[in-house]
Every structure is written in structure tokens, then in C-alpha cells.
Amino acid sequence: MTGRPGRAGKSGGPAGAGELLELVRSGRAVTRGALQQATGLSRATVGQRLDRLFRAGWLREGAGGPVDSPLGGRPSITLEFDDSHAVVLAADLDTRHARAAVLSLTGEILAEHSGTLVIGDGPEVVLPELGRWFGELLEKTGNPAADVCGIGLAVPGPVDTRTGRVVQPPMMPGWDGYDITGRLCRAFTEHTGAPAVPVLVDNDANLMAYGEQRAGHPDCAAFVLVKVSTGIGAGVVVDGSVYRGIDGGAGDIGHIRVGADALCRCGAQGCLAAVASGGAVARRLAESGVPAASGADVRDLLAAGHPQAAALAREAGRRVGDVLATVVTLLNPGVLMIAGDLAGTPFLTGVREILYQRALPRSTAHLDVVTSRLGERAALIGAGALVVEHLYAPERAEERLRALGL
């Protein structure tokens, strides 16, 4: 006797092994019986498709779940995504500093390294150095390079994610249109001897937003993160997915004109970043005799309670708050998160002062204005999650299973 036809999966046909994996990973169906119910597939077909996932090492059996039948019987065996079969590499580039890590498939940081890496030195200097860091980190964790299933990279510029290339990045001289994915993949293989792996590149604010939303606000359907460091950028997550616009330019609020008489790095006059970023605050402090050259220097001064730095950060927050009133009115988010070097009390106070004055009351009635939960690790965790979601998405998972001969 044949089983019932399976309900259509995302590919249009009956649910395949990739879709069963997604149901288990999301927690929507974690027993064989629940998978049958969710997909309409027969017990035998579910068993066959799960067998492919077990042989790949992607699933494992967990503890027994609750008894499904009111008549009693043996508890159902739960299914779990096995995050031990591979690891992800991730890196976050800032203008003068970088951070790299090895992560588990569920986002746990297994080892990390941070250090000076000047993005203005160009990709032929920066990317090989990242490859060296990756090799050292794998030695630290004891994972062979063959365990790496992919690499995620966060950069401080707009990225066309279809190509993995940055597009006219004001803070990344020498990177415009460069083949980042290809060069970083080569750097990884040069320093580890491992085969090529997929490399995904995205804007740092996007990946910070993705990491923070998934970690702390998974039920928020519209989430906005604003990173204020050397520059200013925003990441937007809608219904669990990063909103990038048509070619990666969404969220570039640092280059909204605010009418100020200041020259921006992009060459335009009066951009928000030119007057309210960490770099702009550092410049004003330096002009008054306070040693400061970057957003990181401002962060240190704020941590030390420097009164002039605090006053300038609050003023910068007011300028950013004026722009965010429009952003909040347009997107109606549930969470607005402030992150980056200036994300402290003075800046946040300035944002709130103007935001609640200028935005419509309806737009802010259910809005939480908060600061970063993951801190400096947000982009790393977001980059790791981006790689995992790409590689284990149903259609891509099916391709990978076939490539494994399963």
C-alpha cells in the first residue's frame, strides 16, 4: 500500500530531506510522527529522508519526548540538528581593527582573535592576514580545516550580496568591486590546505542586526539596528530576513544629508556621518586639544567619564535621533537598537530626546529603544548564522546531500 502524497515543499514537490531538516532545526517538528503530520508524507518516506540526514551527520536522536497517544506507550524519540559535524569561520572588519572566530553551527563562539588590521591597506593585505588568523584559530580549537563548511565576512560598506563585492564604499579605499569571496577563499586554502568553501560577505550593520535579532528578539517582525562607530550605518531585519534593497544599499543612513557644513568621506557635504559619527566626535575633540582619532578613542573617553566627550556624544545622538524619527515612521519597528562605539548613555539620551519629539506617537507607542546585547561579537554571530542559514536552507541542503552521494 502506498502512502499519502506529501504536501508540497518549497520546491513545489513533496517535502524533501532539506525541508525535513528545516522543520527539525526550527523546532516546528522534532519527532517522526510530527514530521509525517507536517508534511503529509508516509512513515516509510519520512524514514528514508531522515536516513539521508543521519548518514550526512546532520541529525541525531535526542531524548524521548512526551507520549503522543492518550493510551500511553513508548515516548517518541526526538530529533536534533547535530551541530558537531562542522564549524563556521567568521570575521568582522572595521576601519582599523578586525575580529575573527570559529563558531559552532548553532552560533557558539569556540575561539576568537582580535587585532589591528587596517582596512585602508587594501584587500591584498587584509584578506591573506585573515586567512592566517583562521588557520591559527582552527589549531586552537583542534578542528581540522576539513570541518569548515563556510566563511562569513562583515565589512563596513555596502555589499551587493549577489556578487559578494562592495559597491563604492567610502571607508574602504581600494575595495570597490574587488573579488572578496574569491580572494578570502584562496587565503583560507593557502593557510590551511583545505578545499575551497563558500564565502558570504555582507555589510557589518546588516550582520549585527541579524545576529542581535536572532539572539535576543526572535519574535520581533521589524527590527532596526544602528551602528555608530567611525561611520554610521543601519541594518534592518523584517520577518526574520535582512532587508538589503536591490543592490545592498539599504540602511546607509550615514549619508543622509542633514544640512550641516561638513565634508563627508564620501565627498558630499553635510552627511549625517560627517557630523554625528564616532569619527566626527573624535575630530571635534582633537580640535579642542583632547587626544582622539577614532570612534574607539571616543568610546574609551566615554567609559572614563570624560565630560566633553559625553556632551558631544549626546549632541551627536540628537542629530541621529532626528534622522531616526523618519526611519521609525517609515518602518514602524518593534525594536530600535543602538550599537557601536558611541552606544552609551549620553548618545542614547540624545537619540531619545529628539526621536520621541519628532516621530509620530503611533510609531513609538510599541517601540523599544535598546543597546546591543551581543556587543563586539554581534557581527561575528550574524555572519555565522548567515552561512548556516544559506548552507542548510532546503534547496541548498538537497544539493549538498546529492554532492555527498546521499
Side-chain angles (χ1 to χ4, degrees), residues 6-400:
R7 292 170 196 155
K10 292 185 177 180
S11 61
E19 275 133 350
L20 267 59
L21 178 66
E22 183 177 51
L23 288 168
V24 173
R25 288 184 61 234
S26 67
R28 286 178 285 160
V30 295
T31 65
R32 288 169 173 80
L35 289 170
Q36 286 178 245
Q37 187 173 16
T39 62
L41 297 173
S42 70
R43 180 178 180 179
T45 302
V46 166
Q48 291 166 359
R49 291 177 184 176
L50 288 178
D51 182 60
R52 298 174 67 199
L53 298 171
F54 281 122
R55 285 189 287 147
W58 296 359
L59 280 188
R60 64 187 171 206
E61 291 186 341
V67 176
D68 292 334
S69 171
L71 301 177
R74 291 185 301 173
S76 302
I77 299 298
T78 59
L79 304 169
E80 299 174 350
F81 180 57
D82 189 343
D83 69 342
S84 66
H85 71 271
V87 294
V88 175
L89 298 175
D92 177 21
L93 295 179
D94 209 334
T95 52
R96 305 188 63 82
H97 184 269
R99 187 176 295 268
V102 181
L103 296 93
S104 74
L105 297 181
T106 48
E108 179 188 357
I109 292 182
L110 306 176
E112 67 181 306
H113 173 76
S114 62
T116 300
L117 202 53
V118 180
I119 207 164
D121 288 344
E124 285 296 334
V125 172
V126 171
L127 298 178
E129 183 67 2
L130 281 183
R132 185 177 71 80
W133 288 10
F134 286 151
E136 292 175 352
L137 284 167
L138 288 169
E139 288 181 6
K140 188 174 180 181
T141 63
N143 288 97
D147 282 357
V148 176
C149 63
I151 300 172
L153 177 65
V155 298
V159 177
D160 184 343
T161 54
R162 295 169 299 179
T163 63
R165 300 177 187 232
V166 292
V167 182
Q168 299 176 0
M171 295 193 297
M172 300 177 67
W175 293 73
D176 186 22
Y178 184 86
D179 180 18
I180 296 174
T181 58
R183 186 65 186 94
L184 185 54
C185 185
R186 291 198 304 276
F188 165 70
T189 60
E190 288 163 4
H191 287 278
T192 65
V197 296
V199 177
L200 301 182
V201 184
D202 206 341
N203 171 262
D204 55 359
N206 284 348
L207 292 177
M208 290 173 71
Y210 194 49
E212 294 277 9
Q213 189 269 340
R214 288 169 60 88
H217 306 273
D219 297 326
C220 181
F223 178 95
V224 176
L225 178 142
V226 179
K227 179 187 178 185
V228 187
S229 291
T230 301
I232 300 176
V236 180
V237 180
V238 177
D239 292 333
S241 298
V242 177
Y243 178 75
R244 300 182 176 88
I246 60 170
D247 61 3
D252 204 2
I253 64 170
H255 299 288
I256 292 175
R257 308 291 174 82
V258 294
D261 184 21
L263 182 65
C264 183
R265 287 186 178 210
C266 72
Q269 199 81 14
C271 292
L272 179 65
V275 294
S277 65
V281 172
R283 186 168 56 252
R284 291 186 63 183
L285 287 168
E287 289 169 354
S288 66
V290 179
S294 67
D297 293 335
V298 177
R299 178 193 61 209
D300 294 341
L301 289 167
L302 290 171
H306 193 283
Q308 189 177 355
L312 290 174
R314 182 167 179 170
E315 180 184 332
R318 290 170 62 87
R319 285 185 175 272
V320 173
D322 196 19
V323 170
L324 291 180
T326 300
V327 172
V328 165
T329 301
L330 177 66
L331 296 177
N332 189 209
V335 175
L336 171 62
M337 179 174 283
I338 307 298
D341 293 329
L342 265 60
T345 299
F347 186 87
L348 195 63
T349 299
V351 168
R352 285 178 167 147
E353 281 178 11
I354 300 301
L355 173 62
Y356 287 105
Q357 285 179 25
R358 303 283 168 83
L360 290 171
R362 188 188 181 289
S363 300
T364 58
H366 303 289
L367 175 68
D368 289 331
V369 182
V370 300
T371 54
S372 172
R373 172 181 173 179
L374 300 176
E376 294 180 338
R377 292 176 163 180
L380 290 178
I381 292 172
L386 187 75
V387 171
V388 172
E389 293 306 317
H390 170 74
L391 291 179
Y392 295 92
E395 290 186 11
R396 180 66 174 142
E398 288 286 353
E399 293 173 5
R400 295 176 65 211

